[in-house]
Each structure stands twice: as C-alpha cells, then as structure tokens.
Amino acid sequence: MNEMYNMGLDLHSWSAVAILAMIFLNLFVLISSKDLQKYKRVHSLYLTPLGMTLIGSVLFTGVVMMAAKHLDFTLENIAMIIIGIVLIVLEAKRLKALKYLNAKKEKAFDAYKPFARTLLQIEFVLVLLMSLWMWFVA
C-alpha cells in the first residue's frame, strides 16, 4: 500500500513539473508568434488540450492522494485546491480574451500579448512556489 501511495505522490509531482513546462511552452509560443491566425490554430489544436489535460492530471492525482489520506484537509491541501481553482480561472480568462480577439484589427494581437504574458507568468509563479513548498518544506 505504501508503494502505491509513493507512486501517486510521484505522479502528482511530475504532473506539476509538466504544468510548469507547459506554461513555459505557452509563454515561448506567445512571445515568438507574429501571426494571430497561426497562434490561434496552434493554441486550439495543441496547447489548450494538452494544458487542460495536465491541469486535470494534477487535480485528479491530488484528489486520489487526499482520498488516500482519508480527506485530511491540511494547509498544503487547501493551498493546492485554491491554486487549482485560480489556475482554471486564469486560463479561462486568457482563453476567453483570445476567443474574442478580432483578427482583422491590426494591433489586436499586440494588445493581447502583454495580458496573456502576465497571466502565464502569474500561473508559472503560483505553480513554482507551490511545488517548491511541497518539495522542500513539507
């Protein structure tokens, strides 16, 4: 039983690392993109499904780990739940802004980039701080 719990913790940790890599990839694609149509296509085909799958992976493994600990609501667990909700809300805001971005307006993508970059940076910092807290403090 202990081996399964440890494997679940490892899966949870690696999912968090994968989210960090996905946020970094989103930032890289956003910064390097020049054309809104190509960015929307890459984002809708690859980045959004993969990112949401990774967020779901972290949330699912977290729920399984909480169930294994008999739903023990510690400070770390509550912080992770709040950060999961914040990640979902930030992603929804970023995707909604991208969805309604008018491709015919010349400077629309240039106006969107700082907004999206700020949201991605906030997400990266939140996940990184939570991961560092769990790896080194708890």
Side-chain angles (χ1 to χ4, degrees):
M1 187 70 176
N2 196 29
E3 291 82 15
M4 288 177 57
Y5 182 76
N6 289 336
M7 182 188 71
L9 285 177
D10 288 342
L11 282 172
H12 191 65
S13 293
W14 281 107
S15 296
V17 171
I19 283 184
L20 287 171
M22 190 66 213
I23 293 171
F24 183 75
L25 180 64
N26 268 313
L27 273 169
F28 176 75
V29 171
L30 176 71
I31 292 169
S32 64
S33 291
K34 303 292 181 210
D35 183 31
L36 177 60
Q37 290 299 80
K38 288 181 184 177
Y39 176 73
K40 277 186 168 183
R41 182 167 173 80
V42 167
H43 202 274
S44 66
L45 288 177
Y46 303 110
L47 299 178
T48 300
L50 185 58
M52 291 301 139
T53 302
L54 290 174
I55 289 174
S57 169
V58 168
L59 293 176
F60 178 75
T61 56
V63 167
V64 170
M65 291 294 91
M66 276 195 64
K69 293 188 338 183
H70 305 290
L71 298 176
D72 184 24
F73 282 95
T74 62
L75 179 62
E76 294 88 359
N77 289 347
I78 293 169
M80 283 188 235
I81 291 167
I82 291 170
I83 288 176
I85 293 169
V86 168
L87 282 177
I88 292 169
V89 168
L90 290 175
E91 279 295 305
K93 283 185 176 197
R94 190 172 66 89
L95 294 174
K96 184 178 179 183
L98 181 63
K99 178 181 177 182
Y100 294 113
L101 203 59
N102 191 349
K104 294 180 181 178
K105 290 188 179 178
E106 220 172 275
K107 300 290 182 183
F109 193 43
D110 292 334
Y112 170 78
K113 278 185 174 184
F115 170 73
R117 190 175 346 110
T118 302
L119 291 181
L120 286 168
Q121 289 169 344
I122 291 170
E123 290 176 15
F124 188 82
V125 167
L126 283 174
V127 174
L128 182 65
L129 288 176
M130 189 72 224
S131 298
L132 290 175
W133 181 21
M134 293 310 298
W135 291 328
F136 297 116
V137 176

